[in-house]
Amino acid sequence: MKDKTIDYVLRATWQAVSRMYNEEASKYGASMSVGFALLSIDKDNGIPSTALGPQMGMEPTSLTRTLKSMEEKGLIVRKKNPVDGRGVLIHLTKLGKEKRELSRDRVLKFNDVIRQHVSEEKLAHFMEVAETINELIADKLIFNPDEPDTNK
């Protein structure tokens, strides 16, 4: 493990989690991105379509494809935003709300099993490390775009 880089461990772990969720979601004719979208949509008030992409960290093209698939499966409906007629709100259908609960249960099960095998102290350290990595990236303290590239 000592010869593996931090980014390698992060990437390999995320790929394993992603594969696990996709395998589970495929049992229900869905994908991890559909499950994540279901969890990101307010079950009572919906969400503006423009807010969903940034909240999920998805590129517009991927989000469009995911929403189209969800609409075709009857999980969501698009409604005109009553506050801003130019915008669209994404709402869950009855089926979407049922699948949202299923997604929620799967995520909670994942968390429960991890908590059974990893101490709260180790989880707290993991969360701190992840937060630090995200802050370093957000603050551009790893690769500064204003820094000249000396390898040219």
Side-chain angles (χ1 to χ4, degrees), residues 4 16 24 38 57 68-69 77 85 90 106 125 145-146:
K4 293 181 181 170
E24 187 65 20
L38 289 168
K68 186 176 190 291
S69 166
V77 292
I90 308 293
R106 304 287 68 181
H125 288 302
D146 299 329

Side-chain angles (χ1 to χ4, degrees), residues 34-46:
V34 168
F36 191 31
L38 289 168
L39 293 170
S40 299
I41 298 169
D42 183 289
K43 66 182 178 198
D44 298 316
N45 303 312

Side-chain angles (χ1 to χ4, degrees), residues 34-77:
V34 168
F36 191 31
L38 289 168
L39 293 170
S40 299
I41 298 169
D42 183 289
K43 66 182 178 198
D44 298 316
N45 303 312
I47 188 170
S49 56
T50 53
L52 190 56
Q55 183 174 327
M56 292 179 59
M58 278 182 95
E59 294 296 320
T61 308
S62 299
L63 180 62
T64 300
R65 197 175 325 115
T66 299
L67 292 176
K68 186 176 190 291
S69 166
M70 292 173 73
E71 201 167 21
E72 289 169 355
K73 292 177 180 174
L75 300 172
I76 61 166
V77 292

